[in-house]
Amino acid sequence: MNQWEVLEILEREGAVQKGHFLLSSGLHSDTYVQCAKVLQYPHLAESLADELAREFRDLEVDVVVSPALGGIIIGYMVGLAMRKRMIFAERVNGRLVFRRGQALTEGERALIVEDVITTGGSVQELMKLVEEKGGQPVGLGAIIERGEDRDFGIPKRVLLRLEAPIWEPQQCPLCRRGFELEIPGSRYLI
């Protein structure tokens, strides 16, 4: 599956939205991708996950780790495709933590799976959490990476690189023009 096929799936399911959005990173954009509109269909989630899992088939992975909320479905499906355990981290008081009895054992090799990477902040926070809990991040997979190709120091596979503008709130031209800000993600609602 190439990036144009991934984009076609996202657009066909109405996942690519235009407007004025507050992203989970705190930045603003005129483009938002609601991956949940695609991942609600198990056959599409399976196709995307199979593509991500294929990239890491030769990598020794013990566990798939994703951030809640957006990364859970794709992480679970990648875990299924790889026949690996999957756990997720949740935000509690602004920090990612493992809850609900989920944990890593010392030395577990973790594949980080995310739906969308914008600044990479959540990925870095999750990698740090994995290391703090005795695991070792060994790879990173995502459906989308917005903007530049970031280096996290581990093998990375992104299905679609999306060029869409992002702005700090104080520099946002849409704010200056008075467009209403939409908050479609989960971070600011929890």
Side-chain angles (χ1 to χ4, degrees), residues 94-112:
R95 291 192 67 230
L96 285 175
V97 297
F98 292 123
R99 296 181 57 219
R100 305 173 199 273
Q102 298 183 89
L104 292 169
T105 58
E106 190 67 34
E108 274 193 296
R109 297 172 56 84
L111 174 62
I112 308 292

Side-chain angles (χ1 to χ4, degrees), residues 23-186:
L23 306 176
S24 294
S25 62
L27 300 173
H28 290 201
S29 183
D30 67 353
T31 305
Y32 186 79
V33 182
Q34 183 56 270
C35 289
K37 287 182 141 271
V38 172
L39 298 175
Q40 69 182 328
Y41 299 105
H43 69 286
L44 295 177
E46 180 180 36
S47 294
L48 295 171
D50 286 349
E51 193 66 30
L52 282 173
R54 187 175 298 117
E55 183 69 23
F56 299 106
R57 69 179 170 263
D58 295 328
L59 190 63
E60 186 182 327
V61 172
D62 300 313
V63 61
V64 174
V65 181
S66 294
L69 190 64
I72 291 177
I73 294 173
I74 192 64
Y76 185 84
M77 295 303 289
V78 169
L80 179 64
M82 296 181 80
R83 302 292 189 250
K84 301 295 178 184
R85 184 168 71 98
M86 183 274 179
I87 64 174
F88 60 91
E90 300 175 71
R91 283 206 183 277
V92 175
N93 297 322
R95 291 192 67 230
L96 285 175
V97 297
F98 292 123
R99 296 181 57 219
R100 305 173 199 273
Q102 298 183 89
L104 292 169
T105 58
E106 190 67 34
E108 274 193 296
R109 297 172 56 84
L111 174 62
I112 308 292
V113 176
E114 178 64 288
D115 61 344
V116 179
I117 300 169
T118 298
T119 64
S122 291
V123 168
Q124 290 171 328
E125 186 179 357
L126 194 53
M127 289 174 66
K128 182 179 177 190
L129 176 64
V130 165
E131 291 168 348
E132 287 173 354
K133 299 301 179 184
Q136 177 186 358
V138 296
L140 169 62
I143 300 171
I144 298 166
E145 184 171 24
R146 295 175 62 110
E148 67 186 78
D149 183 8
R150 292 162 189 83
D151 182 0
F152 295 94
I154 55 178
K156 178 179 73 173
R157 170 72 161 108
V158 174
L159 299 182
L160 174 64
R161 180 155 318 287
L162 182 66
E163 295 300 329
I166 54 174
W167 305 284
E168 292 289 340
Q170 58 275 22
Q171 272 80 45
C172 178
L174 301 174
C175 286
R176 280 186 253 142
R177 291 175 29 207
F179 288 99
E180 185 176 340
L181 185 65
E182 297 177 55
I183 307 173
S186 61

